[in-house]
PDB file of all heavy atoms in Angstrom:
ATOM      1  N   GLY A  22      -0.470   5.947   5.669  1.00  0.00           N
ATOM      2  CA  GLY A  22      -0.840   5.828   4.257  1.00  0.00           C
ATOM      3  C   GLY A  22       0.230   6.384   3.344  1.00  0.00           C
ATOM      4  O   GLY A  22       0.581   5.786   2.323  1.00  0.00           O
ATOM      5  N   SER A  23       0.803   7.514   3.720  1.00  0.00           N
ATOM      6  CA  SER A  23       1.872   8.129   2.938  1.00  0.00           C
ATOM      7  C   SER A  23       3.106   7.237   2.898  1.00  0.00           C
ATOM      8  O   SER A  23       3.759   7.103   1.858  1.00  0.00           O
ATOM      9  CB  SER A  23       2.217   9.495   3.539  1.00  0.00           C
ATOM     10  OG  SER A  23       3.267  10.086   2.866  1.00  0.00           O
ATOM     11  N   ASN A  24       3.430   6.606   4.021  1.00  0.00           N
ATOM     12  CA  ASN A  24       4.578   5.694   4.071  1.00  0.00           C
ATOM     13  C   ASN A  24       4.390   4.500   3.139  1.00  0.00           C
ATOM     14  O   ASN A  24       5.341   4.034   2.519  1.00  0.00           O
ATOM     15  CB  ASN A  24       4.820   5.198   5.496  1.00  0.00           C
ATOM     16  CG  ASN A  24       5.455   6.244   6.374  1.00  0.00           C
ATOM     17  OD1 ASN A  24       5.841   7.311   5.910  1.00  0.00           O
ATOM     18  ND2 ASN A  24       5.544   5.960   7.654  1.00  0.00           N
ATOM     19  N   ILE A  25       3.175   4.012   3.047  1.00  0.00           N
ATOM     20  CA  ILE A  25       2.909   2.883   2.157  1.00  0.00           C
ATOM     21  C   ILE A  25       3.100   3.303   0.703  1.00  0.00           C
ATOM     22  O   ILE A  25       3.707   2.581  -0.089  1.00  0.00           O
ATOM     23  CB  ILE A  25       1.502   2.301   2.413  1.00  0.00           C
ATOM     24  CG1 ILE A  25       1.520   1.573   3.760  1.00  0.00           C
ATOM     25  CG2 ILE A  25       1.074   1.373   1.291  1.00  0.00           C
ATOM     26  CD1 ILE A  25       0.206   1.035   4.209  1.00  0.00           C
ATOM     27  N   THR A  26       2.613   4.484   0.342  1.00  0.00           N
ATOM     28  CA  THR A  26       2.830   4.980  -1.021  1.00  0.00           C
ATOM     29  C   THR A  26       4.318   5.131  -1.295  1.00  0.00           C
ATOM     30  O   THR A  26       4.799   4.756  -2.368  1.00  0.00           O
ATOM     31  CB  THR A  26       2.126   6.330  -1.231  1.00  0.00           C
ATOM     32  OG1 THR A  26       0.749   6.172  -0.950  1.00  0.00           O
ATOM     33  CG2 THR A  26       2.299   6.821  -2.652  1.00  0.00           C
ATOM     34  N   SER A  27       5.051   5.657  -0.339  1.00  0.00           N
ATOM     35  CA  SER A  27       6.492   5.810  -0.492  1.00  0.00           C
ATOM     36  C   SER A  27       7.144   4.457  -0.756  1.00  0.00           C
ATOM     37  O   SER A  27       8.011   4.328  -1.624  1.00  0.00           O
ATOM     38  CB  SER A  27       7.073   6.447   0.765  1.00  0.00           C
ATOM     39  OG  SER A  27       8.446   6.597   0.653  1.00  0.00           O
ATOM     40  N   ASN A  28       6.710   3.447  -0.032  1.00  0.00           N
ATOM     41  CA  ASN A  28       7.221   2.083  -0.221  1.00  0.00           C
ATOM     42  C   ASN A  28       6.923   1.591  -1.635  1.00  0.00           C
ATOM     43  O   ASN A  28       7.782   1.042  -2.311  1.00  0.00           O
ATOM     44  CB  ASN A  28       6.600   1.157   0.830  1.00  0.00           C
ATOM     45  CG  ASN A  28       7.223  -0.218   0.851  1.00  0.00           C
ATOM     46  OD1 ASN A  28       7.552  -0.796  -0.180  1.00  0.00           O
ATOM     47  ND2 ASN A  28       7.360  -0.759   2.039  1.00  0.00           N
ATOM     48  N   LEU A  29       5.688   1.817  -2.108  1.00  0.00           N
ATOM     49  CA  LEU A  29       5.305   1.397  -3.462  1.00  0.00           C
ATOM     50  C   LEU A  29       6.147   2.100  -4.519  1.00  0.00           C
ATOM     51  O   LEU A  29       6.626   1.474  -5.463  1.00  0.00           O
ATOM     52  CB  LEU A  29       3.830   1.708  -3.732  1.00  0.00           C
ATOM     53  CG  LEU A  29       2.777   0.883  -3.038  1.00  0.00           C
ATOM     54  CD1 LEU A  29       1.397   1.458  -3.323  1.00  0.00           C
ATOM     55  CD2 LEU A  29       2.846  -0.548  -3.476  1.00  0.00           C
ATOM     56  N   LEU A  30       6.325   3.401  -4.368  1.00  0.00           N
ATOM     57  CA  LEU A  30       7.061   4.177  -5.357  1.00  0.00           C
ATOM     58  C   LEU A  30       8.559   3.864  -5.321  1.00  0.00           C
ATOM     59  O   LEU A  30       9.191   3.702  -6.357  1.00  0.00           O
ATOM     60  CB  LEU A  30       6.825   5.675  -5.147  1.00  0.00           C
ATOM     61  CG  LEU A  30       5.380   6.150  -5.347  1.00  0.00           C
ATOM     62  CD1 LEU A  30       5.229   7.605  -4.925  1.00  0.00           C
ATOM     63  CD2 LEU A  30       4.927   5.949  -6.767  1.00  0.00           C
ATOM     64  N   HIS A  31       9.103   3.759  -4.136  1.00  0.00           N
ATOM     65  CA  HIS A  31      10.533   3.490  -3.988  1.00  0.00           C
ATOM     66  C   HIS A  31      10.909   2.115  -4.536  1.00  0.00           C
ATOM     67  O   HIS A  31      11.939   1.951  -5.168  1.00  0.00           O
ATOM     68  CB  HIS A  31      10.939   3.598  -2.516  1.00  0.00           C
ATOM     69  CG  HIS A  31      12.375   3.278  -2.260  1.00  0.00           C
ATOM     70  ND1 HIS A  31      13.388   4.138  -2.608  1.00  0.00           N
ATOM     71  CD2 HIS A  31      12.962   2.192  -1.716  1.00  0.00           C
ATOM     72  CE1 HIS A  31      14.545   3.587  -2.283  1.00  0.00           C
ATOM     73  NE2 HIS A  31      14.315   2.413  -1.740  1.00  0.00           N
ATOM     74  N   ASN A  32      10.061   1.124  -4.291  1.00  0.00           N
ATOM     75  CA  ASN A  32      10.341  -0.242  -4.737  1.00  0.00           C
ATOM     76  C   ASN A  32       9.763  -0.548  -6.113  1.00  0.00           C
ATOM     77  O   ASN A  32       9.783  -1.694  -6.550  1.00  0.00           O
ATOM     78  CB  ASN A  32       9.832  -1.256  -3.711  1.00  0.00           C
ATOM     79  CG  ASN A  32      10.596  -1.146  -2.409  1.00  0.00           C
ATOM     80  OD1 ASN A  32      11.811  -1.097  -2.401  1.00  0.00           O
ATOM     81  ND2 ASN A  32       9.870  -1.074  -1.306  1.00  0.00           N
ATOM     82  N   GLU A  33       9.216   0.483  -6.769  1.00  0.00           N
ATOM     83  CA  GLU A  33       8.655   0.357  -8.115  1.00  0.00           C
ATOM     84  C   GLU A  33       7.648  -0.795  -8.222  1.00  0.00           C
ATOM     85  O   GLU A  33       7.686  -1.593  -9.152  1.00  0.00           O
ATOM     86  CB  GLU A  33       9.772   0.217  -9.145  1.00  0.00           C
ATOM     87  CG  GLU A  33      10.669   1.442  -9.175  1.00  0.00           C
ATOM     88  CD  GLU A  33      11.786   1.348 -10.193  1.00  0.00           C
ATOM     89  OE1 GLU A  33      11.802   0.403 -10.990  1.00  0.00           O
ATOM     90  OE2 GLU A  33      12.643   2.241 -10.176  1.00  0.00           O
ATOM     91  N   ILE A  34       6.767  -0.855  -7.256  1.00  0.00           N
ATOM     92  CA  ILE A  34       5.717  -1.873  -7.248  1.00  0.00           C
ATOM     93  C   ILE A  34       4.584  -1.383  -8.140  1.00  0.00           C
ATOM     94  O   ILE A  34       4.017  -0.319  -7.907  1.00  0.00           O
ATOM     95  CB  ILE A  34       5.225  -2.133  -5.808  1.00  0.00           C
ATOM     96  CG1 ILE A  34       6.381  -2.672  -4.958  1.00  0.00           C
ATOM     97  CG2 ILE A  34       4.040  -3.082  -5.800  1.00  0.00           C
ATOM     98  CD1 ILE A  34       6.092  -2.734  -3.478  1.00  0.00           C
ATOM     99  N   GLU A  35       4.259  -2.149  -9.168  1.00  0.00           N
ATOM    100  CA  GLU A  35       3.250  -1.742 -10.151  1.00  0.00           C
ATOM    101  C   GLU A  35       1.828  -2.121  -9.732  1.00  0.00           C
ATOM    102  O   GLU A  35       0.878  -1.411 -10.024  1.00  0.00           O
ATOM    103  CB  GLU A  35       3.556  -2.361 -11.519  1.00  0.00           C
ATOM    104  CG  GLU A  35       4.889  -1.922 -12.101  1.00  0.00           C
ATOM    105  CD  GLU A  35       5.001  -0.431 -12.306  1.00  0.00           C
ATOM    106  OE1 GLU A  35       4.022   0.188 -12.751  1.00  0.00           O
ATOM    107  OE2 GLU A  35       6.068   0.125 -11.993  1.00  0.00           O
ATOM    108  N   LYS A  36       1.670  -3.287  -9.089  1.00  0.00           N
ATOM    109  CA  LYS A  36       0.342  -3.774  -8.703  1.00  0.00           C
ATOM    110  C   LYS A  36       0.393  -4.241  -7.255  1.00  0.00           C
ATOM    111  O   LYS A  36       1.365  -4.862  -6.834  1.00  0.00           O
ATOM    112  CB  LYS A  36      -0.068  -4.977  -9.555  1.00  0.00           C
ATOM    113  CG  LYS A  36      -0.196  -4.701 -11.022  1.00  0.00           C
ATOM    114  CD  LYS A  36      -0.526  -5.990 -11.744  1.00  0.00           C
ATOM    115  CE  LYS A  36      -0.576  -5.786 -13.238  1.00  0.00           C
ATOM    116  NZ  LYS A  36      -0.806  -7.052 -13.940  1.00  0.00           N
ATOM    117  N   SER A  37      -0.686  -3.958  -6.527  1.00  0.00           N
ATOM    118  CA  SER A  37      -0.739  -4.444  -5.154  1.00  0.00           C
ATOM    119  C   SER A  37      -2.170  -4.461  -4.636  1.00  0.00           C
ATOM    120  O   SER A  37      -3.048  -3.767  -5.144  1.00  0.00           O
ATOM    121  CB  SER A  37       0.141  -3.598  -4.235  1.00  0.00           C
ATOM    122  OG  SER A  37      -0.343  -2.288  -4.195  1.00  0.00           O
ATOM    123  N   ASN A  38      -2.383  -5.291  -3.645  1.00  0.00           N
ATOM    124  CA  ASN A  38      -3.617  -5.321  -2.863  1.00  0.00           C
ATOM    125  C   ASN A  38      -3.346  -4.540  -1.584  1.00  0.00           C
ATOM    126  O   ASN A  38      -2.281  -4.691  -0.987  1.00  0.00           O
ATOM    127  CB  ASN A  38      -3.956  -6.761  -2.445  1.00  0.00           C
ATOM    128  CG  ASN A  38      -4.421  -7.626  -3.583  1.00  0.00           C
ATOM    129  OD1 ASN A  38      -5.488  -7.419  -4.124  1.00  0.00           O
ATOM    130  ND2 ASN A  38      -3.619  -8.617  -3.948  1.00  0.00           N
ATOM    131  N   ILE A  39      -4.293  -3.724  -1.167  1.00  0.00           N
ATOM    132  CA  ILE A  39      -4.186  -3.053   0.129  1.00  0.00           C
ATOM    133  C   ILE A  39      -5.419  -3.442   0.930  1.00  0.00           C
ATOM    134  O   ILE A  39      -6.552  -3.196   0.513  1.00  0.00           O
ATOM    135  CB  ILE A  39      -4.088  -1.525  -0.007  1.00  0.00           C
ATOM    136  CG1 ILE A  39      -2.807  -1.162  -0.746  1.00  0.00           C
ATOM    137  CG2 ILE A  39      -4.131  -0.878   1.371  1.00  0.00           C
ATOM    138  CD1 ILE A  39      -2.602   0.301  -0.933  1.00  0.00           C
ATOM    139  N   TYR A  40      -5.176  -4.055   2.065  1.00  0.00           N
ATOM    140  CA  TYR A  40      -6.259  -4.508   2.922  1.00  0.00           C
ATOM    141  C   TYR A  40      -6.542  -3.444   3.972  1.00  0.00           C
ATOM    142  O   TYR A  40      -5.664  -3.075   4.752  1.00  0.00           O
ATOM    143  CB  TYR A  40      -5.863  -5.829   3.600  1.00  0.00           C
ATOM    144  CG  TYR A  40      -6.969  -6.442   4.398  1.00  0.00           C
ATOM    145  CD1 TYR A  40      -7.889  -7.281   3.781  1.00  0.00           C
ATOM    146  CD2 TYR A  40      -7.107  -6.181   5.747  1.00  0.00           C
ATOM    147  CE1 TYR A  40      -8.925  -7.844   4.507  1.00  0.00           C
ATOM    148  CE2 TYR A  40      -8.141  -6.742   6.475  1.00  0.00           C
ATOM    149  CZ  TYR A  40      -9.045  -7.578   5.849  1.00  0.00           C
ATOM    150  OH  TYR A  40     -10.065  -8.131   6.565  1.00  0.00           O
ATOM    151  N   LEU A  41      -7.768  -2.914   3.982  1.00  0.00           N
ATOM    152  CA  LEU A  41      -8.124  -1.871   4.944  1.00  0.00           C
ATOM    153  C   LEU A  41      -8.722  -2.475   6.211  1.00  0.00           C
ATOM    154  O   LEU A  41      -9.273  -3.573   6.187  1.00  0.00           O
ATOM    155  CB  LEU A  41      -9.122  -0.896   4.323  1.00  0.00           C
ATOM    156  CG  LEU A  41      -8.626  -0.092   3.127  1.00  0.00           C
ATOM    157  CD1 LEU A  41      -9.710   0.854   2.644  1.00  0.00           C
ATOM    158  CD2 LEU A  41      -7.368   0.679   3.451  1.00  0.00           C
ATOM    159  N   MET A  42      -8.623  -1.736   7.287  1.00  0.00           N
ATOM    160  CA  MET A  42      -9.148  -2.176   8.582  1.00  0.00           C
ATOM    161  C   MET A  42     -10.667  -2.293   8.521  1.00  0.00           C
ATOM    162  O   MET A  42     -11.333  -1.413   7.973  1.00  0.00           O
ATOM    163  CB  MET A  42      -8.754  -1.165   9.665  1.00  0.00           C
ATOM    164  CG  MET A  42      -7.269  -0.993   9.813  1.00  0.00           C
ATOM    165  SD  MET A  42      -6.830   0.493  10.735  1.00  0.00           S
ATOM    166  CE  MET A  42      -6.882   1.739   9.457  1.00  0.00           C
ATOM    167  N   GLU A  43     -11.190  -3.348   9.097  1.00  0.00           N
ATOM    168  CA  GLU A  43     -12.632  -3.578   9.047  1.00  0.00           C
ATOM    169  C   GLU A  43     -13.388  -2.601   9.936  1.00  0.00           C
ATOM    170  O   GLU A  43     -12.959  -2.291  11.038  1.00  0.00           O
ATOM    171  CB  GLU A  43     -12.948  -5.016   9.474  1.00  0.00           C
ATOM    172  CG  GLU A  43     -12.464  -6.037   8.469  1.00  0.00           C
ATOM    173  CD  GLU A  43     -12.823  -7.449   8.850  1.00  0.00           C
ATOM    174  OE1 GLU A  43     -13.728  -7.638   9.681  1.00  0.00           O
ATOM    175  OE2 GLU A  43     -12.188  -8.355   8.299  1.00  0.00           O
ATOM    176  N   ASN A  44     -14.521  -2.132   9.431  1.00  0.00           N
ATOM    177  CA  ASN A  44     -15.467  -1.278  10.170  1.00  0.00           C
ATOM    178  C   ASN A  44     -14.849   0.003  10.713  1.00  0.00           C
ATOM    179  O   ASN A  44     -15.254   0.493  11.756  1.00  0.00           O
ATOM    180  CB  ASN A  44     -16.121  -2.068  11.309  1.00  0.00           C
ATOM    181  CG  ASN A  44     -16.839  -3.285  10.804  1.00  0.00           C
ATOM    182  OD1 ASN A  44     -17.516  -3.234   9.778  1.00  0.00           O
ATOM    183  ND2 ASN A  44     -16.684  -4.395  11.499  1.00  0.00           N
ATOM    184  N   GLU A  45     -13.882   0.536  10.035  1.00  0.00           N
ATOM    185  CA  GLU A  45     -13.229   1.788  10.446  1.00  0.00           C
ATOM    186  C   GLU A  45     -13.304   2.786   9.302  1.00  0.00           C
ATOM    187  O   GLU A  45     -12.278   3.189   8.750  1.00  0.00           O
ATOM    188  CB  GLU A  45     -11.770   1.522  10.842  1.00  0.00           C
ATOM    189  CG  GLU A  45     -11.574   0.653  12.046  1.00  0.00           C
ATOM    190  CD  GLU A  45     -11.952   1.334  13.350  1.00  0.00           C
ATOM    191  OE1 GLU A  45     -12.131   2.577  13.359  1.00  0.00           O
ATOM    192  OE2 GLU A  45     -12.076   0.637  14.343  1.00  0.00           O
TER     193      GLU A  45
END
């Protein structure tokens, strides 16, 4: 999860969908 945030912040992504694992 932290790596994904790092990716968003580093690449200056303003909007995104995050798909979570089902039934977990």
Side-chain angles (χ1 to χ4, degrees):
S23 177
N24 285 353
I25 289 176
T26 303
S27 180
N28 189 321
L29 288 174
L30 296 172
H31 177 74
N32 294 312
E33 298 180 8
I34 298 170
E35 298 300 319
K36 298 177 184 176
S37 63
N38 289 292
I39 296 180
Y40 186 87
L41 296 182
M42 300 164 276
E43 291 182 19
N44 302 318
E45 295 289 346

